[in-house]
Amino acid sequence: LLPRLGADAKLLDVGCLEGSYTRLYADAIGAGDVHGVDVSLNDQARAKGVQSREFDLNSGAPLPYGDAEFDVVVCIESLEHIYPTDFMLREIRRVLKPGGTAIIDVPRLDSMLNIGLLTFGFQPPGIECSRDRRYGSINDDSVLTGHVAYFTRRALLEMLEHSGFRIVEARQVGQRSGWLMLQEAEGRRVSALGRLVWWLYDTLSPKTEYLVVKVTRGE
């Protein structure tokens, strides 16, 4: 969904962590002016060529940039960690140039995986009742995500439009590949049957785990 713009383009990653994905986005765009904000890991991001600023997205303060400053703004799996979600979306719109592109990516509350887990009485991933550990999960080693906002497809699109964006395209993405990579990194073997079941779900499900929406500034 990212546009190919060239070296003059200016990119902002809202919630850039240590900058690895920010560099991938910048390379896809061709952007030569790359910025990011996050509450930590700024030195690591700067080492990757990201002009990262320490900034608490939950502070309620405006983003530390001028109006209409960026050609592309990405907010990838960050909005669900933020309490003032409406305010942050309005800030993303404020710093985006007219005609610019923003990409918003969040976990999907109404995924078939979550619906299935709820049906059988399990707590879905990313929907937590404790800040100490995961209770009610189908797997004992499930980690805390710290999510504080939850989005159905309808809710996300309505929120974006209410925040002054025009929706260009909405897609959904499954978590199969990321989950398989995690198992491999942690030395866990996934059976051929398990891989087949995941592939079938990921291919056939009408509601997979992540929503990715491309928007521009509405006028």
Side-chain angles (χ1 to χ4, degrees):
L1 293 175
L2 291 168
R4 183 70 183 177
L5 298 176
D8 291 336
K10 192 170 184 178
L11 164 71
L12 172 64
D13 187 358
V14 177
C16 64
L17 293 172
E18 37 62 66
S20 295
Y21 284 103
T22 313
R23 287 299 338 164
L24 291 176
Y25 309 144
D27 292 345
I29 295 165
D33 196 357
V34 184
H35 297 255
V37 290
D38 217 320
V39 73
S40 62
L41 304 178
N42 304 99
D43 288 340
Q44 293 94 317
R46 293 183 195 118
K48 297 179 176 70
V50 179
Q51 299 179 55
S52 180
R53 297 190 187 185
E54 184 174 340
F55 183 80
D56 182 359
L57 297 172
N58 270 308
S59 67
L63 289 170
Y65 303 100
D67 295 353
E69 190 168 336
F70 294 94
D71 300 282
V72 180
V73 180
V74 296
C75 184
I76 309 297
E77 293 188 47
S78 295
L79 197 63
E80 67 273 16
H81 296 275
I82 299 172
Y83 286 103
T85 48
D86 294 270
F87 174 78
M88 184 53 59
L89 287 176
R90 290 194 297 270
E91 278 297 289
I92 290 172
R93 183 185 182 279
R94 178 183 66 79
V95 301
L96 185 66
K97 292 179 180 179
T101 296
I103 307 290
I104 311 296
D105 174 9
V106 296
R108 182 174 187 165
L109 177 63
D110 58 334
S111 72
M112 294 303 295
L113 177 62
N114 286 351
I115 292 169
L117 289 170
L118 286 169
T119 299
F120 290 100
F122 292 104
Q123 190 87 358
I127 305 169
E128 295 149 356
C129 58
S130 168
R131 289 294 174 262
D132 294 330
R133 58 163 292 171
R134 285 271 291 137
Y135 295 103
S137 174
I138 195 170
N139 54 324
D140 294 334
D141 59 351
S142 182
V143 297
L144 286 165
T145 63
H147 295 175
V148 297
Y150 310 98
F151 303 87
T152 62
R153 184 179 188 275
R154 184 188 303 273
L156 178 62
L157 298 184
E158 284 185 6
M159 180 180 281
L160 289 167
E161 290 178 335
H162 182 74
S163 300
F165 290 105
R166 181 177 67 83
I167 294 164
V168 177
E169 187 173 352
R171 296 184 185 178
Q172 62 175 8
V173 180
Q175 65 180 14
R176 173 177 60 96
S177 59
W179 183 82
L180 288 173
M181 288 175 64
L182 177 62
Q183 305 313 301
E184 184 177 308
E186 296 183 350
R188 300 192 187 97
R189 180 180 175 275
V190 181
S191 68
L193 178 60
R195 290 174 180 272
L196 176 62
V197 169
W198 258 114
W199 179 82
L200 287 171
Y201 165 79
D202 216 27
T203 303
L204 301 176
S205 174
K207 297 180 179 182
T208 51
E209 286 71 53
Y210 296 95
L211 295 164
V212 187
V213 185
K214 178 179 182 178
V215 297
T216 61
R217 284 181 54 158
E219 299 301 336

